[in-house]
Amino acid sequence: ESEPGTVFRYSNMNFCLLGLLIEHVTMRSFEEAIAVQVLDPIGIHPHLAPTFDTRPGDATHASGPGRNYMESLGPAGGWVATPLEIARLAQALRPETRDPRLLDEDTVAEMRTRVTVPVEDPPPVNGWSYGLGLMLFGDGSWGHTGTIESTHAVVVNRNDGLTVALMISGEYPRNTDDLLPLIDAAVGAATAG
């Protein structure tokens, strides 16, 4: 469709294919490979979400027509983690983070380089854009969002040095785009008082 790294088009299926490639190369399950190479070094322990037989504390969703079955998402975002774990993961990508740091500064800089979004797949109206695997927010901060059924999540590496993750289970706000203003309001209130 285009030269690698020049155009962004989000595809859950491509992340699933990447998961299969990781399994083939490492000769481990995707979950185990990611735990050993990424999660254990930064001291966090998320797990892949099952559709049924959830663990204590996991969010559950009633099954219905058209629902997402978590086992099919796997590498495309089917993880269960706490906000603190997600924040630690994002913080490990910051250039100023020394220990533990997941990727070198040049790799993260490349991930933060804007790529073209096809006109039929425009970014949200609030000024977000896309890098390679990261969302680039209008104010220069960066991170990622996630939405499935009645849950929304965002993690953001803010320009003020804070890394914040917010996860919502329920119907408010209805749009993941509305999470960043909630974080801005909370940080503003905390620093004003």
Side-chain angles (χ1 to χ4, degrees), residues 8 113-115 117 121-124 128-132 134-136:
F8 175 87
T113 301
R114 274 183 213 284
V115 294
V117 177
D121 190 22
W128 298 11
S129 188
Y130 299 95
L132 301 175
L134 293 173
M135 295 179 111
L136 310 173

Side-chain angles (χ1 to χ4, degrees), residues 101-168:
R101 182 149 111 223
L102 288 179
L103 301 171
D104 62 69
E105 290 182 42
D106 291 340
T107 300
V108 175
E110 187 172 346
M111 293 171 69
R112 292 179 62 191
T113 301
R114 274 183 213 284
V115 294
T116 302
V117 177
V119 293
E120 65 272 13
D121 190 22
V125 295
N126 64 4
W128 298 11
S129 188
Y130 299 95
L132 301 175
L134 293 173
M135 295 179 111
L136 310 173
F137 304 119
D139 64 357
S141 60
W142 50 280
H144 213 286
T145 63
T147 301
I148 187 166
E149 284 138 4
S150 63
T151 62
H152 307 290
V154 64
V155 62
V156 58
N157 280 313
R158 295 169 45 96
N159 295 325
D160 59 10
L162 292 175
T163 300
V164 180
L166 177 61
M167 298 177 174
I168 305 292

Side-chain angles (χ1 to χ4, degrees), residues 9 26 32 51 71 80 92 100 109 116-117 137 150 154 162 177 184 186 192:
R9 185 180 306 268
T26 65
E32 183 182 359
T51 301
E71 291 84 357
V80 175
T116 302
V117 177
F137 304 119
S150 63
V154 64
L162 292 175
D177 291 352
D184 289 341

Side-chain angles (χ1 to χ4, degrees), residues 50-52 60-70 149:
T51 301
F52 304 105
T60 58
H61 305 279
S63 184
R67 84 157 290 163
N68 287 293
Y69 285 86
M70 300 309 294
E149 284 138 4

Side-chain angles (χ1 to χ4, degrees), residues 5-72:
T6 60
V7 175
F8 175 87
R9 185 180 306 268
Y10 193 91
S11 169
N12 280 340
M13 180 56 71
N14 285 346
F15 281 100
C16 292
L17 290 173
L18 179 61
L20 292 173
L21 178 62
I22 289 169
E23 288 182 342
H24 178 76
V25 169
T26 65
M27 299 180 65
R28 299 175 187 240
S29 71
F30 173 75
E31 185 172 17
E32 183 182 359
I34 296 302
V36 169
Q37 296 293 317
V38 177
L39 306 175
D40 291 347
I42 59 173
I44 63 174
H45 306 287
H47 63 276
L48 284 176
T51 301
F52 304 105
D53 301 322
T54 57
R55 297 179 187 178
D58 288 358
T60 58
H61 305 279
S63 184
R67 84 157 290 163
N68 287 293
Y69 285 86
M70 300 309 294
E71 291 84 357
S72 67

Side-chain angles (χ1 to χ4, degrees), residues 87-106:
R88 286 193 63 162
L89 179 62
Q91 185 175 24
L93 294 175
R94 281 184 172 275
E96 64 272 16
T97 298
R98 297 289 172 230
D99 186 37
R101 182 149 111 223
L102 288 179
L103 301 171
D104 62 69
E105 290 182 42
D106 291 340

